[in-house]
Amino acid sequence: MSRPVQRIQVPEDLREVLLEFTINYLLEQPGDVINFAADYFCRLRDNRTGIVFEGVIGATDASSPDESISREEEPPVGRFTGRRKSVFAETYDPEEDEDDCAKVVFPKSDEQRQRLADAVRNILLFRSLDKEQMQDVLDAMFERRVTADELVIKQGDDGDNFYVIESGIYHALVGDSGQEPKHIHTYENSGSFGELALLYNMPRAATIKAASEGSLWAMDRQTFRRILLKSAFKKRKMYEALIDGVPMLKTLQSYERMNLADALVPRTYSANERIIKQGDAADGMYFIETGTVIIKAYNDQGEEVEINRIGKGGYFGELALVTHRPRAASAYASDDLKLAFLDVEAFERLLGPCMQLMKRNINDYEEQMLKIFGSKQNMKDIR
């Protein structure tokens, strides 16, 4: 009687941490990878409050064991001895990449483009990309149809493409030479795989086999690296400049500000659009890149009145996070607006050094709100 195949589920937080480390390494390009790794993970541990670090470009919505299993089980030299190991055997410097360089475009029908947009919508790997960068992603991907039992990627091969699943069932298999491969993960009609081999420029650490007919969207290695690393580089530089213009954040150390820049997520709003609603639970705070935000609150007559305007370089939404109360006011876009959003978990993890300053600012809010509500009891009733 054959023994049942052992299923190894690769932890998603392991995959996320490795992906974030990879992107930071490729952006920084340090001289000593060991020292950089030691410093990176020590800072990660110090900043951690029980959740996984959110870095430059986030992570996909599904574990990608074909890549992450190699970091969990495989030493730097061993399974693929003789194959290339250098992360920078194929270097990419985002600072030298011109924005007007030729872009890869695979023509698509409107129906294909809509199917691709639906497939990548929940891939968190792309969550920090703006609309223009997402269009580059859609342009650069090409469709690949697969049949049952077809090998999409093979363990030990060089990484060629990154794949997003539109449809089909796929099995991730890992095995040493001469041994029966172990089934470690199943993808069913969603998810993505193949990214870390492209970033590290290393051989595939697992085999992905189609268990049914299906459809994939693929992006080649060079384009994948250019779009994602370039966007990560531009995002970090842009948000570092934004952070430099916020006096409250001057108290942060340089590495803390870098981590904050990596955790910010872009959001856009149109004129008169509501950003946060009075009375709602707080999900994060906002920094203003461009435009003006109008802060409004209801007075004791039940009228919503303007109490403040905040321009470029300002921030809002932190009061509810500091006090752990519902939103004390609503925020609206005065005109077309670009914001950088910091979710509540990242706020608690990264802005501890600024907490005392924000608490001191609460008195200013209380004075403003007293003028609107007329009494502290009315303020409590609204909250």
Side-chain angles (χ1 to χ4, degrees):
M1 183 175 179
S2 61
R3 296 176 60 186
V5 177
Q6 181 182 6
R7 292 175 62 104
I8 305 173
Q9 186 64 46
V10 179
E12 187 171 351
D13 55 355
L14 170 64
R15 186 196 163 286
E16 291 178 356
V17 168
L18 291 171
L19 180 59
E20 301 302 343
F21 169 74
T22 301
I23 294 295
N24 277 273
Y25 181 86
L26 292 173
L27 288 177
E28 298 294 329
Q29 299 191 18
D32 189 319
V33 63
I34 301 301
N35 286 338
F36 178 81
D39 180 61
Y40 176 87
F41 286 109
C42 283
R43 286 192 278 110
L44 181 60
R45 179 194 59 197
D46 293 342
N47 285 331
R48 184 176 181 181
T49 59
I51 61 176
V52 177
F53 170 73
E54 292 187 14
V56 180
I57 60 173
T60 61
D61 61 332
S63 166
S64 187
D66 60 305
E67 306 303 336
S68 60
I69 193 72
S70 65
R71 314 295 173 249
E72 184 179 39
E73 295 183 346
E74 171 187 359
V77 177
R79 182 181 299 170
F80 300 118
T81 301
R83 304 299 296 269
R84 58 183 181 176
K85 291 295 192 295
S86 173
V87 173
F88 289 105
E90 184 179 74
T91 60
Y92 172 77
D93 186 350
E95 202 160 16
E96 295 181 357
D97 185 3
E98 299 294 336
D99 288 331
D100 58 356
C101 65
K103 296 181 180 180
V104 175
V105 177
F106 289 92
K108 301 173 182 68
S109 66
D110 291 341
E111 185 267 340
Q112 283 180 310
R113 199 169 186 86
Q114 184 58 52
R115 287 195 288 112
L116 173 56
D118 292 340
V120 303
R121 180 173 292 118
N122 295 319
I123 302 298
L124 298 184
L125 184 65
F126 300 133
R127 69 177 179 176
S128 65
L129 302 183
D130 58 29
K131 291 182 179 179
E132 182 179 349
Q133 291 163 339
M134 273 305 303
Q135 291 306 311
D136 290 343
V137 168
L138 299 183
D139 287 339
M141 301 195 82
F142 57 92
E143 190 170 13
R144 175 177 171 180
R145 299 280 184 173
V146 298
T147 58
D149 296 326
E150 181 178 344
L151 297 184
V152 181
I153 62 176
K154 184 179 179 181
Q155 182 175 334
D157 284 355
D158 289 335
D160 53 356
N161 296 319
F162 164 70
Y163 294 97
V164 173
I165 299 170
E166 180 183 339
S167 64
I169 299 174
Y170 304 84
H171 292 161
L173 309 169
V174 171
D176 291 318
S177 178
Q179 294 184 353
E180 184 72 19
K182 294 179 180 179
H183 176 203
I184 64 169
H185 190 75
T186 297
Y187 300 92
E188 296 188 15
N189 298 306
S190 65
S192 62
F193 53 84
E195 71 275 17
L196 289 186
L198 306 189
L199 291 172
Y200 274 106
N201 197 35
M202 292 185 69
R204 298 294 194 186
T207 294
I208 299 293
K209 184 178 182 179
S212 69
E213 291 186 352
S215 179
L216 299 167
W217 292 98
M219 182 189 297
D220 70 81
R221 174 173 57 219
Q222 290 281 18
T223 305
F224 177 85
R225 286 160 65 91
R226 177 181 61 79
I227 290 178
L228 293 180
L229 289 179
K230 181 67 174 180
S231 67
F233 177 78
K234 290 174 65 176
K235 174 179 180 285
R236 174 177 287 181
K237 292 299 181 184
M238 177 180 67
Y239 285 152
E240 283 179 346
L242 175 66
I243 290 168
D244 286 341
V246 179
M248 176 187 70
L249 302 179
K250 298 293 186 182
T251 59
L252 296 178
Q253 299 295 321
S254 59
Y255 75 87
E256 293 172 328
R257 291 159 73 179
M258 180 187 72
N259 287 346
L260 176 59
D262 290 344
L264 293 172
V265 177
R267 290 193 176 178
T268 58
Y269 296 88
S270 302
N272 302 317
E273 188 175 355
R274 186 170 62 194
I275 306 162
I276 60 176
K277 180 181 178 182
Q278 183 174 343
D280 281 356
D283 58 349
M285 69 174 294
Y286 300 81
F287 298 89
I288 302 174
E289 294 181 52
T290 60
T292 302
V293 172
I294 302 174
I295 306 298
K296 295 183 178 182
Y298 288 97
N299 59 21
D300 52 359
Q301 283 80 44
E303 302 170 331
E304 191 176 41
V305 297
E306 179 179 330
I307 60 174
N308 195 14
R309 286 183 177 241
I310 309 172
K312 179 180 178 180
Y315 58 91
F316 62 96
E318 82 286 1
L319 175 63
L321 301 180
V322 174
T323 62
H324 302 288
R325 297 172 179 171
R327 298 291 192 189
S330 297
Y332 297 85
S334 174
D335 43 21
D336 288 344
L337 192 65
K338 290 184 67 176
L339 302 176
F341 176 71
L342 184 70
D343 67 49
V344 60
E345 291 87 359
F347 172 87
E348 294 173 351
R349 183 176 70 250
L350 299 174
L351 291 188
C354 304
M355 196 64 70
Q356 290 304 316
L357 179 58
M358 285 186 282
K359 287 181 178 178
R360 289 199 297 270
N361 290 338
I362 291 178
N363 291 333
D364 295 334
Y365 282 104
E366 297 286 356
E367 291 178 4
Q368 287 180 317
M369 301 302 280
L370 276 172
K371 294 177 183 178
I372 302 300
F373 294 120
S375 71
K376 289 188 175 182
Q377 183 59 48
N378 288 335
M379 290 169 57
K380 293 178 180 179
D381 292 340
I382 294 293
R383 291 180 180 177

